[in-house]
Amino acid sequence: MPAPVITATGLTKHYGDLVAVAGIDLEVAPGESFGLLGPNGAGKSTTMRMIGAVSTRTGGDLQVLGLDPDTHGPEIRSQLGVVPQEDNLDTELRVRDNLIVYGRYFGIPRAVCARRADELLAFAQLEDKARSKVDDLSGGMKRRLTIARALVNEPRVLMLDEPTTGLDPQARHVLWDRLFRLKERGTTLVLTTHYMDEAEQLCDRLVVVDQGRIMAEGSPAQLIREHSSREVVELRFGSQRNQAAAERIAGLGDRIETLPDRVLVYAADGEAVVEQVSRLGLHPTTSLVRRSSLEDVFLRLTGRSLIE
Amino acid sequence: MSVEQTTRDDATLAALAGAVRPRRFGALYVAEHQLRAMRAYGWTIVIGGLGQPLLYLLGLGLGLASFLDAPVGFGPDGPVPYVTFVAPALLVTATISVTTEEFTYTVMSGFKWRRVFWGMNASPLAPGQVATGLVLAVAVRMAFVAVAYTALIAAFGAVGHLWSVAVLPLLGLLGGMAFGLPLLAYSAGLRDDAGQFAAVQRFVFTPMFLFSGTFYPLATLPTWLHWIGWVSPLWHASELGRAVSYAQPMSGATVAVHLGVLVALAAGGWVLARRVFVGRMHG
C-alpha cells in the first residue's frame, strides 16, 4: 500500500475556549477520494484549513505529503489545489487572466500558465468565455472556473470545500462529471459536503464528523450497512396520529423513528413491514419503501436538530 | 527502497521543489496581480495623476498666488514664489491620497469583497508576501503619481534647483508610505467597512492636509495647533521637500528628525501591517 498523502493523529484546534476540532485521526491514500461529512459547525472546514496549511493546529500530529504544515506551509500548498466554499475569483480580471495570474503564484512561467489556462478552460467547458468578465458567468461556470484555477499547478491533492452548494442540479452534475474525470486520472480528492448524494457519487471513503470528532468512518456502502438497515419504510398516518400509530407498530423492523410528519421503520425487508402494519389494522395514507441512504446514516449519527 | 518510501519521497521532493520560487519571488507575483487588476481603473490613475497636479498648480500658482502680497517661503537668497513653496507639499499630498484609496478599499476588497487575498493564501504565498506585494504595487502607482507631479512642477518652473527633481519623487514616496503603511495595518484589521474609511478621509486626511503647513508655514498657526504638524507625515515630508527644492534653511539635526519620523512611521506601519496579515490569514 502506498504511503498516505495525509496523516492526522489526535488533530485538535481551539479558538479560545471553543473547541472546533477535538482530536481527529485520519489517513488519506494517494488517488483516494475522501469525504468529510458533518453538519454546520462540525469542524470540517477547520480540518480542511489545517490540512491546507493555512491554519496552525493546537495539538496532535499532521503530515501532508510527508511534511509538517507548521514548518513547510508553502511546500505543501505548492502541491494542493483548493476550491473554497466561497468563490474568490478576481472579478477585476477576465476569465483566462484569472487562471494565468493564479498560476504565477506557484512560480510557473507565464508561457506555461497561458498554455495550461487554455487546456483548463477546455476541461472546464469555458473556452468560449475566455475573454468574459467573471461577473458575467453563471454560478456553475464560476465554480468550474474555480476548479480549473485550482488545477493550474497540477496538484497532487485537490481540496474542495462544499463544491456544489448553491448550484442547480444540471450544474452539479456537470461538476461531478469533471471531478470524476480527475479522480480517474489519479488526483487525490478531499472534499467536504452536506449533500449525501454528492458524497455517495464522489467518495471512496468518508468520515462523519460532529462536534469536532469523527463519529463513523468507511465507504458509503459500509456506513449504510453498519449504521442503518437495508431498507426504510416511510409511513404517513397524518400528523395527529403518527405518534399513536408508532406506539402500535413498536417492535416492527430494527428501529422506529417518529417524526412530526411521518414514521420511519428501519428494516431489512420493507415490504414485509408494510404487510405487518396492514395486518395490525392500520392504514397509512401513504407508505413508501426505499433503500437506506447515506442521509439516514448521517441523521442517525448527527441528530435531526437544526444547527445554524 | 520500498514502493511506499519511493511514493512519499517523490511527493515530498516535489513539494520541496515547488515552493522554491514562491518563497523567493512571492511578493513580486502578488504585485504583478495587483498591477494587472489596477489596469481595470488605469485611466482613472493616469487622469488623476496628471489632472490633479495640473489643477492645483494652475489654481494656486496662477490664481491664489496673485492675491498674496507677503511672501511665505524663503530660500537662502530670500523669498521664493508661492507656487514653489506649495509644490513639494502638494506632491506629498498626492502620494498620500493614493494610499487613502489603495490601503483602504483595496485591502477590504482583498479580504472581504473580491476575497482575492484568500485565493493567494491557499497558494504557496505567505501572508507577509501578500502584504509586501500589495505595498510594491501601490509603490509603483505612487511612483507614477510622484514622477508625473514632479514633471509638472518642473514645467511650471516651481522648483528652486532643477536637480531636485531627482529627489522629490523619492520624498513623495517616503511621505506616502509613512502615512500609508500605518493605515494599511489599520485597514487589514477591519472586518467590515462601517464608514471607517470615509472617517479617515474626513477626520485624518483632510485636517492633516489643511493644518500641516501645506499652504502656509506651520509657524503661522496658533501654537496649540502645531502638534498636528509634528505628528503629520505630510509636514515632515513637505519640509524636507522644501529644503531639497529651494534650499529652505534647515539644520542637519532637523533634517535627521524629519527623516527619522518618516522612516519610523513607515517601518512601524510595515511591521504592524505584516503582523496583522499573518494573524488574519494563518490564525
Side-chain angles (χ1 to χ4, degrees), chain A residues 66-222:
Chain A
L67 297 167
D68 183 337
D70 280 358
T71 53
H72 289 86
E75 283 73 14
I76 291 168
R77 294 195 298 275
S78 79
Q79 304 300 307
L80 301 182
V82 178
V83 178
Q85 217 174 96
E86 246 180 288
D87 285 324
N88 53 34
L89 297 161
D90 192 340
T91 49
E92 302 270 10
L93 302 179
R94 292 181 191 277
V95 166
R96 187 169 177 269
D97 289 341
N98 258 281
L99 300 178
I100 294 173
V101 156
Y102 205 77
R104 297 286 295 144
Y105 297 165
F106 294 83
I108 302 167
R110 264 183 218 93
V112 179
C113 287
R115 181 169 49 75
R116 284 194 195 163
D118 294 331
E119 289 165 8
L120 288 167
L121 286 173
F123 174 76
Q125 298 168 299
L126 289 169
E127 292 130 302
D128 52 340
K129 298 286 178 188
R131 304 232 357 111
S132 299
K133 289 190 168 171
V134 170
D135 275 338
D136 295 339
L137 301 183
S138 69
M141 288 175 179
K142 280 185 191 164
R143 287 267 91 183
R144 297 208 300 275
L145 179 59
T146 305
I147 291 178
R149 194 185 69 171
L151 296 172
V152 76
N153 59 324
E154 299 180 333
R156 283 170 191 259
V157 185
L158 185 63
M159 315 220 349
L160 305 112
D161 199 357
E162 297 186 14
T164 63
T165 300
L167 297 187
D168 61 33
Q170 284 81 0
R172 290 178 75 202
H173 281 267
V174 172
L175 210 71
W176 286 349
D177 167 65
R178 298 293 106 175
L179 293 176
F180 201 77
R181 281 167 201 240
L182 288 174
K183 188 165 138 48
E184 281 181 328
R185 284 192 213 164
T187 307
T188 307
L189 302 183
V190 180
L191 65 114
T192 74
T193 180
H194 36 223
Y195 293 126
M196 299 304 131
D197 50 348
E198 183 159 288
E200 288 195 71
Q201 284 276 343
L202 294 175
C203 298
D204 302 323
R205 197 162 59 85
L206 45 91
V207 289
V208 178
V209 186
D210 195 19
Q211 295 176 351
R213 291 179 193 285
I214 291 177
M215 311 296 285
E217 182 182 348
S219 67
Q222 232 176 344

Side-chain angles (χ1 to χ4, degrees), chain A residues 65 75 77 90 102 104-105, chain B residues 12 23 33 114 119 123 125:
Chain A
L65 302 165
E75 283 73 14
R77 294 195 298 275
D90 192 340
Y102 205 77
R104 297 286 295 144
Y105 297 165
Chain B
T12 309
R23 270 191 191 272
H33 182 167
R114 266 155 66 221
S123 80
L125 303 177

Side-chain angles (χ1 to χ4, degrees), chain B:
Chain B
M1 189 185 276
S2 68
V3 174
E4 187 173 317
Q5 198 62 37
T6 315
T7 314
R8 195 178 66 199
D9 284 353
D10 177 39
T12 309
L13 288 175
L16 291 171
V20 172
R21 288 180 67 83
R23 270 191 191 272
R24 201 171 298 164
F25 304 116
L28 294 178
Y29 301 146
V30 176
E32 183 183 331
H33 182 167
Q34 293 295 333
L35 289 168
R36 260 180 195 255
M38 274 183 203
R39 284 204 305 213
Y41 52 96
W43 279 111
T44 322
I45 295 175
V46 172
I47 291 172
L50 295 171
Q52 197 207 19
L54 206 57
L55 289 176
Y56 269 113
L57 291 169
L58 281 172
L60 296 176
L62 301 181
L64 183 66
S66 59
F67 290 98
L68 296 173
D69 296 329
V72 288
F74 296 88
D77 309 321
V80 295
Y82 181 65
V83 70
T84 306
F85 167 81
V86 89
L90 291 177
L91 162 66
V92 181
T93 306
T95 54
I96 286 178
S97 63
V98 167
T99 71
T100 62
E101 222 179 286
E102 296 285 359
F103 286 153
T104 53
Y105 297 105
T106 305
V107 179
M108 186 58 73
S109 171
F111 280 118
K112 187 164 190 241
W113 299 326
R114 266 155 66 221
R115 300 179 53 78
V116 291
F117 291 168
W118 300 111
M120 296 173 184
N121 199 35
S123 80
L125 303 177
Q129 290 176 316
V130 176
T132 310
L134 176 64
V135 173
L136 286 176
V138 173
V140 170
R141 180 176 170 184
M142 227 185 243
F144 167 75
V145 167
V147 169
Y149 224 122
T150 307
L152 283 164
I153 289 171
F156 270 75
V159 281
H161 306 292
L162 203 57
W163 58 264
S164 67
V165 297
V167 185
L168 283 176
L170 295 174
L171 279 176
L173 217 57
L174 179 61
M177 287 299 172
F179 180 85
L181 292 174
L183 177 61
L184 172 64
Y186 169 71
S187 302
L190 290 180
R191 303 280 150 164
D192 218 339
D193 172 30
Q196 293 95 326
F197 296 150
V200 167
Q201 185 77 32
R202 284 184 202 134
F203 303 117
V204 181
F205 177 75
T206 306
M208 180 181 77
F209 181 45
L210 294 174
F211 297 105
S212 291
T214 315
F215 302 107
Y216 39 81
L218 191 65
T220 52
L221 279 175
T223 318
W224 61 272
L225 276 177
H226 284 186
W227 67 269
I228 300 184
W230 300 335
V231 299
S232 154
L234 174 55
W235 181 66
H236 293 285
S238 303
E239 287 296 284
L240 285 174
R242 286 166 183 147
V244 167
S245 169
Y246 57 88
Q248 170 177 267
M250 192 177 288
S251 70
T254 313
V255 171
V257 169
H258 287 314
L259 269 177
V261 170
L262 292 172
V263 170
L265 279 171
W270 172 234
V271 169
L272 209 60
R274 280 178 65 100
R275 199 174 292 172
V276 176
F277 268 75
V278 172
R280 187 155 180 188
M281 296 171 103
H282 278 191

